[in-house]
Structures are given as structure tokens and as C-alpha cells.
Amino acid sequence: MPADDKRTPAQIEAVWDEINGDAASTLHGSTVDIRGWMIPLEPSARSADYFLLAQDEPCCGGCVPRDPRRSIEVTASEPIALESGSLPLRGRLMQLIDDPAGWRYRLELARRVPEPGGSLAQPATMSRRSFLASSAAFGLAACAPGRFAGYTDAHDAHDDAQPRDDEPAQWQASAGSLTIDMHSHAGHVTVSRNLKIGANRPLTPVSASMRTGGMNVICLAIVTDTVVTHVSADRKRFEAWRTPQPGELYQLGQEEFVRAAELVEREQLVVVTNAAMLASVDPAKPSVIISAEGADFLEGQVDRVDEAYSRHRLRHLQLTHYRVNELGDIQTEAPVHGGLTDFGADVVRRCNTLGIVVDVAHGTYDLVKRAASVTTKPLVLSHTALAAHPGARSRLITADHARAIAATGGVIGVWPSSGTFRDLAGMAHGFRRMVDVVGVEHVGLGTDMLGFISPPVFRSYEQLPALGAALVSAGFSQRETELLLGGNYRRVFEASMA
């Protein structure tokens, strides 16, 4: 673009017109100017090099448009200060193909530019309504599906220090207890590849929100089927759409294990690999347990469990995810194997021998029953909720399904899906219902952080004190709340290492 660019605002707006009409494919790889409303991922940040740009002013502090054509993903060449108005950017527009979260365009190497004609860009004035809703932090609103969909709350600068009048007092864990999330995608270690250019989304911060909320340990999950699954046409679930090539999912697993290691180094996280390390976790130093959601990367080779254990420090393995794989059947697709396969049983046994927690989330009830009959260690089902009569292809489980986990000494993680619970109080009552079925020693927290299509009710670790308070309000004691928010998983992890 020439320095004396004379384009008008209408010409800049034309880029949005082409995006809205899906005609921007002709601009793939081209440098464009575009103006929009900045929606960052981290509410505490004052600048960002990875964010969403929306065509229209959000109705509240960073509300993501439901239509993916009215927003684009942005990776900036350097951090850009947050603005309270619309922002003019210049960057390379890339069309995204089969993006798992449904976004269609990315602006790469973006930077803030002068207004057409060379004058210094001045942010357009944000309405008082939107400014008050967003405040300085510009939290993401829970308004739309997609990768950015409401994973942090809009809040003002005082929210972390004191609760609002309509919220319960903030909860805090006792000294010596540990808070643990059984299932998390925080940091975006999962590969979400643009198939045209082979690019992945940048890693995002983890440790700051963990420290603020008092989350000590997260089971940091890679996902090993992302290149062969996508969001369904009705945007309600993920589904497999093609058969992987030989070696493809193994290679994907290797890439994601490397990204997890990069996140650990960048965020100065502690990787927990045994019971002694878990017992000595420093609450001031956020820690992770390396996990894999779906054992698809094994590709039928049980020796790869040993490789992941020794090379990548894997200590938590979920057998299946969103495709029926070599290990067994999944809840969201028609059964093929009748439950857990013989290979799946071999993997369970190998995990038991090595010291890897076995996670049966996404697996059918038949898979869980056979896994329970095979395992010599407690099982976990890291993220779900209880339903009396789950619908066809539902991720929820019945009481009998839950009891099969508890019978092994295991733990069921309650998740924050907004399709199941309206708010944190509802989620707390979801804990209560699960506890009524299996007992307080067999229930834990599995946030599936950054893994939902639609925004969940728990979107940031900064909400952990509010969730703890909601559990106390639901009738749990301090000790019981500590068991639910980490103590029970700690017991299973220690038993799995023995």
C-alpha cells in the first residue's frame, strides 16, 4: 500500500462487504485495510497480538457476532493497545478452510494504520452503554459460538477485589489443599490449521488467570483428531468428516505435544509427573499435568503410549474423542465396536502399568463398563453432567454410567456447559445431583476450558472463587468443596502413579 493512500472509508468498508458475501477468497494473501471493533481473548490485558475484529460495535463489552462472516481472527505483528472504539488495521487477509470453530478469515501481520489520507487514526467513539459494559478490560461476552465465544467475563477493574451485591462472597481454598481442573485446553496448544498455508493459532496466556483465581493445577489437553473433525452444519457438535491418512494423527500428536512444551516454557509452568510432585505443588506456581484428549495418535500401536509417557511426559490419557477410533465407540456417533476394543483394553492395561490416568470421557456406556472391568486403577470421566434420560448422541451420562466410574474409585468431572447449566449456581446444583448419585468422593471439576462451541458458564479461572462460593451456597462444606475442586482428582492421580 502506498504511504499517500487516498482510499475512502467506503472503500475500506468494501472489504467487509466481500467477507459478508464470501467473496473475499479473491483477496486471499493480499494486503488489505479494514476497520473493526477489537475483541481480545484475555480480559486483564492492556494490549494484544491475537484477537477478534468485529464489523459492528458489540452490544456489550466485546460481544462476538453469531455470524462468523461479521468477524475475523487477527494476529498482529506486535501487540496493539486496546481501544474503546473502532480500530483501523492493515494486514494480509487469509481465507480459512475447514476451521474447527467456524471462522472464515484471518488478518495476519496486522498493524494499526493512519486513516485514509494520511491522518493519524483516531478511535471512533464507543457508546456509553457499550463502554460501561466492557470497561477497561474488554472481557469477551457469552453471546456467540466460535473460538472466542465468551471464555472470559466482562468485568470492571474492581471485580477481582470484591464481589457485587448480587453475588455470594468469594471462596478460597484452605492451606494445603489443591485445586485441579481435570480437563483444559487453556493456552490453545491444540492445532487448528489453516489448510491453505499450514498456520496455527498463537499460544495464549494461562498462568495469570490461574494465579488470580487460585487454580493450582490443570490437566492440559492436546487433541489428536482436529484435522479430521469439524463443527457440524447445525453448529451443535463436532463430528468426523474424513478418514485420516496413515501416520497423520500420530504426526498431529507430536506437533501438539511440542506446542504444549512451548507453552510450559513460555508461561513458566511446572509439569507434574508423579505423586510426590503433586504433593509438593507450590500454589504460587501454576502447574500442569500433560493430557491427551483422544488416543487417536496411537494409531493402533500400544508402544506409543510408552513413547508419550517418556518423551512428552503424558500422565492423563482420554481414550476417545469425536471419531470412533481403534480404542472404541463414542457417545456422539453410532456404535461400531460394541464398546471398548481389545486394543483399547491393552491401552488401559499399559496406562495402569506406567502410571497414566485413564479418562473415559466421550466413550459410550458399554466402553466404560469394559474399561472398568479391565482397569486395576481408578478411572476418570473428566467432563460431563448427569441426565436422567440423555438424548441420542448426547455427551451427558446416566446415573448408572456415573456409578460405573465411581465403582473403580474414580471421579466424574462436572463441566460448565451452558446447554446444561444457566449459571454457576446451576452448575453447583449439577455437582449436587452428581454427588447424590455417586457420593462426594467421586465428583470433580472438568472445565473443558476453551473447548466449547457455545460459551460455557465458567469461562476463566478467575471465576474459581465464585464457583467455590456457589458450591458452598449449594450446601457443601469447605472440606467437601475442596474435594470437588481438586482433592478427589488428586487421590486418583496418586493411586494411578502407585
Side-chain angles (χ1 to χ4, degrees):
M1 291 284 176
D4 59 347
D5 179 31
K6 303 295 184 182
R7 286 165 301 108
T8 66
Q11 289 172 317
I12 294 177
E13 184 66 21
V15 176
W16 280 116
D17 291 341
E18 293 189 62
I19 289 174
N20 294 163
D22 279 335
S25 59
T26 59
L27 296 176
H28 177 70
S30 300
T31 298
V32 301
D33 279 19
I34 189 168
R35 176 187 282 279
W37 300 83
M38 187 176 182
I39 305 175
L41 186 64
E42 287 293 316
S44 59
R46 298 299 177 183
S47 62
D49 58 6
Y50 177 57
F51 53 91
L52 198 68
L53 193 73
Q55 180 178 9
D56 306 310
E57 177 185 6
C59 66
C60 52
C63 181
V64 180
R66 289 186 178 277
D67 186 346
R69 293 171 298 184
R70 301 190 74 80
S71 58
I72 61 174
E73 186 180 28
V74 177
T75 58
S77 56
E78 60 184 25
I80 296 175
L82 303 191
E83 297 285 0
S84 60
S86 64
L87 178 72
L89 295 175
R90 177 173 297 163
R92 185 173 62 205
L93 188 68
M94 308 301 295
Q95 184 181 25
L96 304 180
I97 307 297
D98 292 316
D99 181 76
W103 301 115
R104 301 184 182 181
Y105 296 96
R106 175 189 295 138
L107 192 69
E108 296 184 338
L109 301 175
R111 58 188 177 88
R112 197 164 185 256
V113 295
E115 298 284 10
S119 62
L120 183 65
Q122 298 294 325
T125 302
M126 183 186 240
S127 70
R128 184 174 185 274
R129 169 177 57 87
S130 293
F131 181 77
L132 291 176
S134 65
S135 189
F138 274 81
L140 297 183
C143 301
R147 171 179 310 137
F148 290 83
Y151 292 147
T152 50
D153 279 339
H155 62 283
D156 68 30
H158 301 290
D159 278 356
D160 293 334
Q162 60 186 44
R164 294 188 294 269
D165 292 341
D166 60 347
E167 290 183 344
Q170 300 291 279
W171 174 86
Q172 187 174 15
S174 303
S177 65
L178 286 179
T179 54
I180 305 175
D181 181 0
M182 297 166 60
H183 187 72
S184 176
H185 302 288
H188 283 125
V189 299
T190 301
V191 168
S192 179
R193 180 178 289 118
N194 178 343
L195 299 184
K196 281 193 174 183
I197 62 174
N200 298 320
R201 69 163 68 92
L203 299 171
T204 54
V206 175
S207 58
S209 63
M210 289 179 67
R211 288 192 183 94
T212 299
M215 177 60 75
N216 303 136
V217 185
I218 63 174
C219 294
L220 182 66
I222 69 166
V223 184
T224 58
D225 62 1
T226 57
V227 294
V228 296
T229 59
H230 62 188
V231 178
S232 61
D234 59 9
R235 295 192 61 81
K236 292 182 178 180
R237 65 189 181 98
F238 290 94
E239 61 185 5
W241 64 278
R242 70 174 176 87
T243 301
Q245 298 297 315
E248 183 179 12
L249 299 188
Y250 173 74
Q251 181 59 39
L252 176 65
Q254 301 310 297
E255 291 179 35
E256 293 192 351
F257 280 130
V258 168
R259 281 173 62 84
E262 291 172 352
L263 181 72
V264 164
E265 181 177 2
R266 194 187 79 172
E267 294 284 301
Q268 294 298 289
L269 303 168
V270 176
V271 178
V272 174
T273 59
N274 56 55
M277 289 187 70
L278 188 62
S280 62
V281 162
D282 182 348
K285 296 180 180 179
S287 299
V288 300
I289 294 168
I290 301 299
S291 171
E293 183 165 34
D296 304 81
F297 70 97
L298 300 179
E299 295 184 331
Q301 299 184 41
V302 74
D303 60 306
R304 288 179 176 173
V305 178
D306 300 66
E307 178 187 68
Y309 177 88
S310 58
R311 180 182 296 180
H312 303 298
R313 297 182 284 185
L314 179 74
R315 295 298 185 271
H316 181 128
L317 179 61
Q318 182 179 310
L319 305 181
T320 59
H321 191 219
Y322 277 115
R323 57 180 290 270
V324 177
N325 63 15
E326 296 87 354
L327 290 86
D329 294 322
I330 61 175
Q331 293 173 287
T332 50
E333 297 291 347
V336 174
H337 304 296
L340 186 73
T341 64
D342 290 343
F343 173 69
D346 288 342
V347 169
V348 171
R349 295 186 187 99
R350 186 63 63 90
C351 288
N352 289 168
T353 299
L354 291 172
I356 297 175
V357 175
V358 175
D359 187 347
V360 291
H362 287 260
T364 61
Y365 181 34
D366 285 335
L367 179 147
V368 170
K369 287 188 292 184
R370 187 178 183 197
S373 72
V374 169
T375 188
T376 59
K377 304 293 176 67
L379 298 175
V380 302
L381 198 165
S382 59
H383 53 299
T384 187
L386 193 67
H389 303 288
R393 309 293 175 253
S394 172
R395 276 279 292 112
L396 304 184
I397 63 172
T398 64
D400 286 342
H401 196 143
R403 291 186 186 106
I405 303 296
T408 70
V411 179
I412 302 100
V414 175
W415 68 359
S417 170
S418 58
T420 309
F421 308 118
R422 293 184 60 183
D423 50 28
L424 291 183
M427 185 180 175
H429 285 287
F431 273 89
R432 170 59 67 191
R433 290 192 292 275
M434 191 71 78
V435 165
D436 288 343
V437 169
V438 297
V440 73
E441 297 85 3
H442 301 289
V443 183
L445 172 66
T447 71
D448 203 4
M449 183 67 66
L450 301 185
F452 287 94
I453 299 174
S454 296
V457 300
F458 187 97
R459 301 178 292 278
S460 168
Y461 291 122
E462 295 181 11
Q463 293 177 274
L464 186 63
L467 175 58
L471 290 169
V472 172
S473 294
F476 293 105
S477 68
Q478 176 74 10
R479 174 186 171 276
E480 289 171 333
T481 300
E482 289 170 353
L483 289 176
L484 297 173
L485 297 184
N488 289 330
Y489 182 83
R490 176 178 181 173
R491 170 179 52 79
V492 168
F493 184 85
E494 291 171 344
S496 298
M497 300 300 110

